[in-house]
Amino acid sequence: MCVCVCVCVCVLQCCRSAAVCLCSSARRGLSCNGWSGTIMAVEFEGGVVIGADSRTTTGAYIANRVTDKLTPIHERIFCCRSGSAADTQAIADAVTYQLGFHSIELDEAPLVQTAASLFREMCYRYREELMAGIIVAGWDPRRGGQVYTVPVGGMMTRQPVSVGGSGSSYIYGYVDSNYRAGMSKEECLKFTAEALTLAMERDGSSGGVVRLAVVSEQGVERQVILGNQLPKFSTV
Amino acid sequence: MATVSVRQYHRGGFSFENCKRNALLEADINKLGFSSPAARKTGTTICGVVYKDGVVLGADTRATEGMVVADKNCSKIHYISPNVYCCGAGTAADTEMTTQIISSNLELHSLSTGRLPRVATANRMLKQMLFRYQGYIGAALVLGGVDSTGPQLYSIYPHGSTDKLPYVTMGSGSLAAMAVFEDRYKPNMEEEEAKRLVRDAIAAGIFNDLGSGSNIDLCVITKGKVDYLRPHDVANKKGVRTGNYRYKHGTTGVLTKAVTPLNLEVVEESVQTMDTS
């Protein structure tokens, strides 16, 4: 079991020594896979609502139109992945292992902040080699619903609402003007779905279906909003 | 005076508007002594589909070396374990060696666990190896198999990202094959229907992509059984020559003939059969 993680972490070390050729331009090139869309997370009383689009692109071709970017890290902790698919999948797998191990050692549910710290540790240490924008969101008994954002570069900060991915640029205005503290679960779901729909409408790298999840003390409820069921806006 | 221009309503079909412009540009470039870049295909159409009882994997059989066909009938569906097979696109050596390495490790793993290996295990091993090499191993794979958790299909990209889907295509002909899948895929198909679908998808790649060609190989994996159909469909049969360059006997007149017999003594005669297995 130890071998798995060591491989993952040590090898990223080797990558560092060959770092120059691994600069971002190589990954943004045509042959890379996974330049993904729009992700969002909102805290509410008692939990978090997370959402993402479902498009993964290789250049101009959509490699996967039904991607699930909401990845479970632990029972009540999720991460929303944006950026390079390969990088975020590898990081999420490594953190899932580390958090699972930590949780068994503690014999207790892990804190969302711990998960976010593990992501930050990896994203900051290998910041030159990675292209990963991650939002960590979940519920723990100590601090309730929390959203932590770990953008490219490896910063970590807690925010009540957070958006990420290439499509996020188009919805900062919408999110800033429509977010109110103290929204209910249903209001948060509607807010997230509408924000993601607007981003998918304008961003070429975002599209497909809207995947939503509510993480709370009761557990996880997942839902999918298909293309024809998305909220409609008045732009022609 | 302002001229009023009415934009022509564009009817359907291909727009040839830019052909004249392209021809002029081409001429200009050639005048300067340069040649416009040529399209380079890497070849291959591979695909897979999950049906009612298992998975069907398909592949073409052309291996290219630049613009030349290096192998007209190469095998792109590789064995990973008795219940897991993997199609490979990209650099032939990379796909071959990567699948062999993981096949070997998976067999050791299976002996250690005492169980039939799982498709997800093969997927994990492949993605971790490819991520480790940061995309320098040019192996794009379609991994499929049936294990205790059911039939599964994964697409694995050279940088190490994977997608678990009911139908996947990879390679230069993947867009042609995906067009066929998007049109006709249904969940829980019967075996014959699934085989026909995969065959048609690969055929679309073979006939519409320069890098794919020759025959169609299929691999049908179900619980407890694997049908490795090679070839399943000989889509490109070599034609019969209509003319002959050989000259008939007597075309060249014989002027003189001299026969000198060589007296040889047979000392030893032994027969060694060639191993054609």
Side-chain angles (χ1 to χ4, degrees), chain B residues 49-69:
Chain B
V49 93
V50 174
Y51 74 102
K52 198 175 76 175
D53 306 319
V55 300
V56 179
L57 301 174
D60 73 305
T61 59
R62 175 180 287 185
T64 50
E65 209 174 281
M67 284 279 110
V68 177
V69 175

Side-chain angles (χ1 to χ4, degrees), chain B residues 118-255:
Chain B
R118 295 190 179 188
V119 191
T121 316
N123 179 53
R124 230 351 119 103
M125 290 176 165
L126 284 162
K127 81 182 325 194
Q128 284 181 348
M129 180 179 166
L130 290 172
F131 183 78
R132 197 174 347 134
Y133 287 93
Q134 288 287 295
Y136 284 97
I137 293 186
L141 310 166
V142 168
L143 177 78
V146 181
D147 59 29
S148 53
T149 36
Q152 281 153 83
L153 190 63
Y154 293 88
S155 65
I156 306 171
Y157 291 84
H159 281 269
S161 61
T162 65
D163 291 307
K164 179 164 181 274
L165 291 163
Y167 55 95
V168 294
T169 64
M170 294 283 240
S172 57
S174 63
L175 267 69
M178 185 51 92
V180 175
F181 275 160
E182 288 285 23
D183 185 29
R184 284 158 46 185
Y185 170 82
K186 295 189 307 287
N188 293 322
M189 284 182 288
E190 295 298 330
E191 181 170 324
E192 278 315 308
E193 204 184 338
K195 279 162 72 173
R196 238 194 330 265
L197 181 62
V198 172
R199 186 245 156 239
D200 288 345
I202 301 290
I206 286 174
F207 293 115
N208 297 94
D209 174 45
L210 297 177
S212 311
S214 299
N215 313 324
I216 300 167
D217 288 351
L218 242 59
C219 184
V220 184
I221 310 174
T222 49
K223 197 175 173 63
K225 189 164 80 93
V226 172
D227 272 330
Y228 194 89
L229 305 161
R230 178 177 154 75
H232 173 255
D233 196 330
V234 182
N236 290 288
K237 237 193 186 72
K238 191 166 181 167
V240 177
R241 240 172 256 201
T242 50
N244 204 342
Y245 278 114
R246 281 183 153 233
Y247 291 99
K248 285 200 297 289
H249 271 292
T251 308
T252 312
V254 178
L255 297 176

